[in-house]
């Protein structure tokens, strides 16, 4: 899935109650097409003169729409930014961007609540203009909760269309051409390879509107 405003707000409200005792005011939520980050906290700095600590206002949580991640990973990204937000609101100065206080809070949440928050994320931005040739395979065995998924280039599609039925037990293959970002998570295959994907995952992604 990709980030959207409704998901971010719902996630913020949920984990504000579960992890932060509902102490965090709802900040502005913004979406970005940046490829350099998944999420970040933005705010205004007000300088108060020499020797006086600055104050901060106009907090915003910003999330990129160019990344396609499972929902649980997006939740961890939102919580990551909520930790930054909490430290700022409480006036807690850390010794680096992800210093002692941040790591302590992150590790406590991971341990107590089974989360997998990290300092950084190695997600890869999707190319919204990338064209995918997608084969949707109905499987002829007992894996009826999953479908077979082939994602490839235009050049490879005819060859794979002929080889896949010989290599796998499939009852039907439908081919589609799409730029839907869901399919960017799968590398274009150049050999006889098929991904097994739960039907529910594709439905949740919204890609089902493309492949019906």
């Amino acid at each position: 899935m990709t980030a959207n405003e409704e998901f971010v707000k719902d996630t913020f409200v949920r984990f504000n109650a579960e992890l932060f005792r509902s102490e965090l005011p709802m900040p502005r939520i913004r979406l970005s097409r940046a490829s350099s980050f998944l999420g970040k906290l933005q705010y205004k700095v007000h300088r108060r003169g020499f020797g006086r600590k600055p104050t901060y206002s106009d907090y915003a949580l910003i999330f990129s729409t160019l990344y396609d991640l499972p929902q649980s990973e997006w939740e961890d990204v939102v919580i990551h930014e909520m930790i930054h937000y909490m430290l700022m609101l409480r006036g807690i100065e850390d010794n680096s961007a992800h210093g002692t206080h941040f790591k302590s809070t992150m590790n406590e949440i991971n341990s107590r609540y089974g989360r997998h928050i990290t300092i950084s994320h190695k997600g890869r931005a999707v190319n919204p203009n990338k064209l995918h040739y997608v084969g949707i395979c109905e499987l002829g065995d007992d894996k009826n909760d999953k479908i077979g998924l082939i994602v490839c280039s235009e050049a490879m599609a005819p060859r794979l269309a002929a080889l896949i039925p010989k290599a796998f037990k499939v009852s039907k293959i439908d081919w589609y051409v799409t730029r839907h970002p869901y399919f960017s998570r799968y590398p274009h295959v150049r050999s006889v390879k098929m991904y097994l994907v739960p039907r529910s995952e594709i439905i949740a992604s919204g890609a089902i509107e493309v492949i019906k």
Side-chain angles (χ1 to χ4, degrees):
M1 63 171 288
T2 53
N4 61 74
E5 188 172 343
E6 181 181 6
F7 167 78
V8 173
K9 286 183 177 179
D10 289 347
T11 301
F12 183 95
V13 171
R14 172 188 168 188
F15 291 108
N16 191 20
E18 292 183 11
L19 309 179
F20 301 98
R21 296 181 294 183
S22 297
E23 293 179 356
L24 307 182
M26 175 67 74
R28 291 185 299 116
I29 303 298
R30 290 177 48 199
L31 301 179
S32 167
R33 294 182 61 80
S35 60
S36 57
F37 64 85
L38 278 82
K40 71 176 182 179
L41 172 66
Q42 188 178 75
Y43 47 86
K44 289 183 179 179
V45 181
H46 304 278
R47 307 293 178 183
R48 303 172 63 194
F50 181 76
R52 303 181 67 186
K53 290 184 178 181
T55 59
Y56 306 93
S57 67
D58 199 21
Y59 293 99
L61 296 183
I62 308 173
F63 299 91
S64 174
T65 60
L66 293 188
Y67 289 84
D68 189 355
L69 304 174
Q71 178 175 327
S72 61
E73 291 186 29
W74 269 122
E75 290 172 350
D76 288 336
V77 172
V78 175
I79 297 170
H80 175 118
E81 300 309 323
M82 291 176 74
I83 296 173
H84 283 304
Y85 184 37
M86 178 271 292
L87 294 176
M88 291 292 297
L89 289 176
R90 294 181 181 177
I92 300 174
E93 295 186 5
D94 224 332
N95 51 5
S96 68
H98 297 98
T100 303
H101 294 292
F102 181 94
K103 290 176 182 176
S104 175
T105 304
M106 179 187 74
N107 291 336
E108 180 182 0
I109 291 174
N110 284 340
S111 176
R112 291 186 60 187
Y113 298 96
R115 304 303 311 184
H116 299 89
I117 310 161
T118 57
I119 295 297
S120 61
H121 197 289
K122 296 182 180 180
R124 183 177 62 182
V126 302
N127 180 352
N129 297 313
K130 189 172 185 179
L131 190 65
H132 309 286
Y133 279 68
V134 177
I136 304 296
C137 304
E138 293 291 339
L139 304 177
D141 54 24
D142 59 358
K143 299 186 181 68
N144 57 11
D145 62 320
K146 295 185 178 181
I147 62 172
L149 186 63
I150 306 159
V151 184
C152 62
S153 65
E154 179 182 8
M156 289 300 300
R159 179 171 181 269
L160 293 175
L163 293 177
I164 288 293
K166 299 176 182 178
F168 300 97
K169 187 185 293 185
V170 298
S171 59
K172 181 183 178 183
I173 304 179
D174 291 318
W175 285 88
Y176 304 86
V177 181
T178 175
R179 298 184 190 276
H180 195 287
Y182 170 83
F183 299 107
S184 294
R185 68 172 66 181
Y186 299 99
H188 282 191
V189 299
R190 298 183 58 83
S191 59
V192 181
K193 182 177 182 180
M194 182 169 64
Y195 302 101
L196 295 181
V197 181
R199 293 177 187 273
S200 59
E201 179 181 301
I202 292 187
I203 292 173
S205 74
I208 194 68
E209 296 177 5
V210 173
I211 64 173
K212 278 184 177 178

